[in-house]
Every structure is written in structure tokens, then in C-alpha cells.
Amino acid sequence: MPLRRALLWVAAQAALMGGILAVGWPLRTILALMSTYVGFQILALFSCFLAASEASARSGLARANSELRATGELLANTSRLAERERISRELHDTLGHHLTALSLNLEAASHLAQENALVQIQRAQSVTKLLLSDVRRAVSVLRGEDPIGLAQALRTLVGGVPVVVTY
């Protein structure tokens, strides 16, 4: 109920009570009783409004806290994703390109090499190809993780919502 309507309700109750007391009580006693009665009614009214305001503020604070936690979780996941992307790009750009160039140079050397060096070149070439596949796999793993972690962020967001029990 809005405050204005609640004050009108208190005034109507006080007027009704004053009318009932006016039947057989002296005016001085009625005024003393009515001032005390109205004072307590207004105190109770403002206490209720204060309690409702506090409950509403707590609910809003819990909701904001939950949203803040979920946002923090998303930010942490995004930061991890960005760092992994940077590392994978760095691995791909440096190691991947150099290993590819090394493999091509070993292929050219194998065409020019004599029989005794050819075995060593082929062995180096197989190690190079193995390293290149390892780098590609590592880059693929770094890029393939869940980028946002939406499920965990939603759990965090819902975790802060107060449970309302209704009967």
C-alpha cells in the first residue's frame, strides 16, 4: 500500500476510535488516548515501510551481487581464452613456420645429398614432421576449449537468487 493511502487509513481508524470514545469519555482523556494511539500507529506504519524497504534493498543487493559474480566469472573465462589464443597464435607463428621451413630445407637437402648423408637427413625430416604435428595438435587444443564457460556463469548467476517459499 502506498504511504499516502496508509496514512489515510491510520487517520480513518483514529477518527473511528475517537468517535467511539466520544460516547462516554471526557475530552481530555480522549485526546490523551488518541495522541498515544495515533503516535503508535504512525510508528508501526513507518517501521513496516522501513522493513519493506530494507527487504527490497537486500533483494536488489543480492541480485546485483549475483550478477557481479557471473560477470567476474565471464571476465575470467574471457581472459583465459584470450591468453590461450595469444599463446596458440605465438606457437603457430613461430614454431610452426620455422618447422615448415626446416622441413622444406631438409627435403631440398635430401635431393642433393649423397647416400651416407641421406639417412641422417631423412631422420631429421621425420623428427621435424613429428614436431610440426605436435605443434599443430597443441595449437588445436589451446584453441578448442569452451570459450565462455556459459554453464558456470549461469550457475553463479542463479546461485545468488534468493529462494521464495510460498504456501
Side-chain angles (χ1 to χ4, degrees), residues 4-87:
R4 181 174 278 176
R5 188 183 294 173
L7 286 173
L8 285 174
W9 179 250
V10 167
Q13 285 179 343
L16 182 63
M17 186 171 181
I20 292 171
L21 292 177
V23 172
W25 294 63
L27 182 62
R28 186 175 194 154
T29 306
I30 293 172
L31 289 176
L33 284 173
M34 291 305 297
S35 63
T36 305
Y37 175 76
V38 170
F40 279 125
Q41 285 283 8
I42 290 176
L43 177 67
L45 176 72
F46 283 118
S47 295
C48 288
F49 269 93
L50 183 63
S53 173
E54 180 187 357
S56 175
R58 282 181 188 265
S59 175
L61 185 61
R63 194 171 29 259
N65 189 23
S66 176
E67 289 175 6
L68 183 63
R69 283 188 201 164
T71 302
E73 183 75 28
L74 287 173
L75 180 63
N77 285 339
T78 302
S79 296
R80 277 192 297 272
L81 176 66
E83 184 62 18
R84 286 182 178 172
E85 187 70 27
R86 184 192 67 77
I87 290 169

Side-chain angles (χ1 to χ4, degrees), residues 12 17 23 28 32 34 36 38 40 46 51 58 94 96 107 109 116 130-131 135 142 146 149 151-152 154 159 164:
M17 186 171 181
V23 172
R28 186 175 194 154
M34 291 305 297
T36 305
V38 170
F40 279 125
F46 283 118
R58 282 181 188 265
T94 56
E107 181 70 31
N116 58 357
L130 181 66
L131 282 172
V135 167
L142 283 173
D146 182 21
Q152 180 60 36
L154 286 175
V164 178

Side-chain angles (χ1 to χ4, degrees), residues 65-131:
N65 189 23
S66 176
E67 289 175 6
L68 183 63
R69 283 188 201 164
T71 302
E73 183 75 28
L74 287 173
L75 180 63
N77 285 339
T78 302
S79 296
R80 277 192 297 272
L81 176 66
E83 184 62 18
R84 286 182 178 172
E85 187 70 27
R86 184 192 67 77
I87 290 169
S88 71
R89 202 172 24 257
E90 189 74 25
L91 277 173
H92 179 266
D93 290 348
T94 56
L95 289 176
H97 291 302
H98 291 308
L99 285 173
T100 302
L102 179 61
S103 179
L104 289 174
N105 285 332
L106 287 171
E107 181 70 31
S110 71
H111 292 296
L112 300 174
Q114 296 168 353
E115 193 63 36
N116 58 357
L118 187 60
V119 173
Q120 294 298 326
I121 290 174
Q122 288 172 345
R123 194 175 295 149
Q125 198 171 20
S126 67
V127 169
T128 302
K129 287 180 182 179
L130 181 66
L131 282 172

